[in-house]
Amino acid sequence: MAQRDAAPSGDGELRDIVSAVSRGAPEYRQCPHPLYAALREQDPVCRLTPPHGIDTYLITRHDDARDALSDPRFSKDMRGAIDTYHAVYGSFFDALDDNVLFADPPRHTRLRRILRSAFTPRRVEQMRPRITEIAETILGECRRAGTVDLMTSFAFPLPVAVLCELMGIPQEDRPEILEQFAVVTRSRFDPSRRAELKAAEERLQHRLERLISDTRDHPSDTFLSDLLQAEERLEDAELVASLWVLFFAGHKTTAYQIGNSVLNLLLHPDQAARLREDPRLIPGAVEEMLRFEGSVETSTFRYAAQEARIRDTVIPKGSLVQIAISSANRDPERFDAPDELDVTREGLQGTHLGFGHGTHYCLGAPLARLELEIALSCLLREFPDMRAVDLEETRGAWLKGPVAAFRGLEHLRIVLEPSRPDGDPGEPTLASVASVGSVASVASVASGKQPDPMGGGLA
């Protein structure tokens, strides 16, 4: 939503802002844009003191952010700073997190080269009819419910179903896998649930290993089967970690982006009307939505492999480096009227940082763009009069966990057809869309209120 609040000023207020951002205060998570505006102006490379105890430098201006995302001095290799990595993420996930997202060249280059065959624009475009079919089927079930939480009823089921089909996860295995992902989301930052977290990690690793073995024995027309038959192949441990990151990061970022986009169209009915009148604007509108309120608020794990200077700030070797994507995408030095949502804004695809920049530019960007385009097209066509149950309440439904990784909604209660007589508000059972990959435990995955700093995108 547009944030026109005046940016705070003064040394005392700046200290309060830095403190709020450092600890992930609820008021910061609820509405970060005025705070980012103040940091861009007064402290664009800001030293934070987060609860994990590792000094962290937050970069908020667009040009600095773009440079930092591709700066080889800022490493993503978890193996090169494993103690720091454990301080931030805990020590259970080493095997699954040892993937393309947390690697540097040349290993990152090899992993990415092998994986990107699934996400070429041509291959992704071939998925358009099937993704459209999945979206329409899920929305058909939503229509029967009338009033839904769009997050659990559509925003999460759509990317989950697409990724399950892409990977060839059998229908009967999806509930178990999704439930373990839900456990991970709920437990990763709760010390009292360490045993539960460790058990879920082990089950996921075992289940993904079995999926690889079954696919090797019975090749099919799936991304995983292609990987197993490729001339250049991944080791089994690399395959497991790759499936993990593609699924986990790929479904959350897209789901939250669907919710953010729909909310902002409800808040800006003039912009929604433009898209309904001319659906050809929707691909460009997706880029504006990614810029205006992207689902990836800050970058994933990076640390200074050597001392680096940005502007007047020296970032010591070993410090964490965090890049505020949401701030960079609202920088007035790069975008005219950045706090205005304009679905006709041009020239965005190569300039906004919603999918990152450089070597780690999001591997799944073509698929995410297509899913977002289809989701918005279907919603605007099928439910032109949809409205929020309580728009003011929804404005307060942003994720409030202490880590500003995802920017998304806990829920988005929507009346799809206000003129239709409706009974008690309810959620679709999703039974009729089981054939496209939606299962009841999708709601469990979506209900993990704690955002995970694994965060944004696919590498």
Side-chain angles (χ1 to χ4, degrees):
M1 63 188 74
Q3 308 290 347
R4 297 185 180 85
D5 311 64
S9 60
D11 290 344
E13 288 178 279
L14 181 60
R15 284 194 296 272
D16 290 343
I17 291 170
V18 173
S19 174
V21 175
S22 291
R23 68 181 190 277
E27 63 271 20
Y28 155 61
R29 296 305 319 282
Q30 164 67 22
C31 183
H33 299 295
L35 281 68
Y36 286 145
L39 291 177
R40 285 195 304 268
E41 182 178 343
Q42 301 176 53
D43 197 358
V45 185
C46 173
R47 179 177 171 269
L48 305 178
T49 54
H52 55 60
I54 307 296
D55 280 353
T56 301
Y57 288 79
L58 182 70
I59 298 170
T60 52
R61 289 189 182 174
H62 182 278
D63 289 350
D64 297 335
R66 182 182 172 91
D67 291 344
L69 285 166
S70 58
D71 192 328
R73 296 175 298 179
F74 301 145
S75 174
K76 290 182 62 61
D77 180 12
M78 59 174 277
R79 298 175 175 182
I82 196 65
D83 290 342
T84 298
Y85 187 85
H86 286 163
V88 177
Y89 292 96
S91 58
F92 291 135
F93 268 55
D94 288 2
L96 293 178
D97 279 354
D98 190 10
N99 55 55
V100 66
L101 188 63
F102 298 120
D104 289 339
R107 182 168 181 261
H108 172 270
T109 306
R110 180 180 68 86
L111 294 174
R112 185 182 180 94
R113 181 175 60 247
I114 297 170
L115 293 171
R116 69 184 176 190
S117 63
F119 302 105
T120 62
R122 174 180 293 183
R123 179 164 185 163
V124 167
E125 183 59 32
Q126 292 172 347
M127 299 174 68
R128 180 183 293 272
R130 181 58 180 145
I131 296 175
T132 301
E133 180 184 4
I134 292 171
E136 290 175 343
T137 303
I138 296 172
L139 288 177
E141 184 72 7
C142 290
R143 185 186 297 277
R144 284 185 280 276
T147 299
V148 299
D149 174 1
L150 199 74
M151 300 307 296
T152 57
S153 298
F154 180 66
F156 273 88
L158 176 61
V160 165
V162 171
L163 287 167
C164 283
E165 293 209 357
L166 185 71
M167 296 179 189
I169 297 175
Q171 188 66 40
E172 62 273 16
D173 293 341
R174 295 177 189 182
E176 175 195 354
I177 290 176
L178 289 170
E179 175 55 30
Q180 299 313 316
F181 274 110
V183 172
V184 170
T185 299
R186 292 193 301 265
S187 308
R188 191 162 193 178
F189 296 97
D190 185 346
S192 68
R193 291 183 164 182
R194 287 180 179 175
E196 185 181 5
L197 176 63
K198 187 172 186 294
E201 179 205 15
E202 290 173 349
R203 290 192 191 102
L204 273 173
Q205 188 165 351
H206 175 72
R207 191 61 197 85
L208 293 174
E209 287 171 350
R210 199 169 81 201
L211 174 65
I212 291 167
S213 177
D214 291 346
T215 305
R216 184 176 282 121
D217 292 340
H218 306 284
S220 59
D221 184 21
T222 64
F223 165 53
L224 176 56
S225 191
D226 288 350
L227 286 180
L228 291 171
Q229 298 176 68
E231 182 176 349
E232 186 177 13
R233 301 183 186 182
L234 298 174
E235 298 175 2
D236 279 8
E238 294 174 327
L239 278 168
V240 169
S242 295
L243 294 181
W244 154 260
V245 70
L246 292 174
F247 192 95
F248 191 84
H251 85 271
K252 278 183 170 287
T253 52
T254 302
Y256 285 132
Q257 189 62 57
I258 291 171
N260 295 359
S261 301
V262 172
L263 174 60
N264 279 301
L265 289 177
L266 294 172
L267 291 169
H268 301 84
D270 60 320
Q271 301 296 301
R274 287 192 175 193
L275 298 182
R276 285 194 298 270
E277 292 164 4
D278 187 359
R280 293 173 299 178
L281 293 174
I282 290 177
V286 165
E287 303 302 323
E288 172 69 344
M289 298 291 184
L290 288 160
R291 181 203 69 81
F292 183 74
E293 199 79 84
S295 62
V296 180
E297 186 169 341
T298 57
S299 61
T300 50
F301 180 78
R302 279 175 173 79
Y303 64 94
Q306 56 183 281
E307 182 180 280
R309 177 183 293 273
I310 299 180
R311 297 186 183 267
D312 296 326
T313 300
V314 174
I315 299 177
K317 180 179 179 179
S319 302
L320 289 174
V321 178
Q322 200 165 15
I323 300 154
I325 304 297
S326 292
S327 176
N329 282 338
R330 295 276 191 111
D331 189 341
E333 292 188 4
R334 185 63 189 83
F335 303 102
D336 293 334
D339 292 327
E340 300 290 337
L341 178 67
D342 179 4
V343 296
T344 65
R345 196 185 295 262
E346 297 179 349
L348 282 175
Q349 186 161 325
T351 55
H352 76 74
L353 302 178
F355 289 119
H357 176 69
T359 303
H360 281 271
Y361 184 82
C362 178
L363 186 64
L367 180 59
R369 283 188 168 102
L370 181 60
E371 290 180 87
L372 292 166
E373 179 186 337
I374 290 171
L376 294 181
S377 297
C378 291
L379 279 165
L380 289 168
R381 182 183 67 246
E382 297 296 323
F383 306 109
D385 299 320
M386 63 181 173
R387 63 170 175 82
V389 171
D390 185 338
L391 196 53
E392 287 306 311
E393 189 276 337
T394 300
R395 287 174 183 265
W398 296 103
L399 295 168
K400 301 294 196 309
V403 181
F406 292 118
R407 175 77 173 152
L409 296 167
E410 294 181 351
H411 58 266
L412 178 53
R413 297 282 291 174
I414 295 289
V415 180
L416 295 172
E417 296 175 303
S419 62
R420 192 190 81 176
D422 199 6
D424 294 333
E427 303 300 331
T429 65
L430 297 181
S432 67
V433 294
S435 62
V436 298
S438 274
V439 291
S441 58
V442 168
S444 298
V445 178
S447 66
K449 299 296 190 289
Q450 181 83 296
D452 190 300
M454 185 171 171
L458 312 181

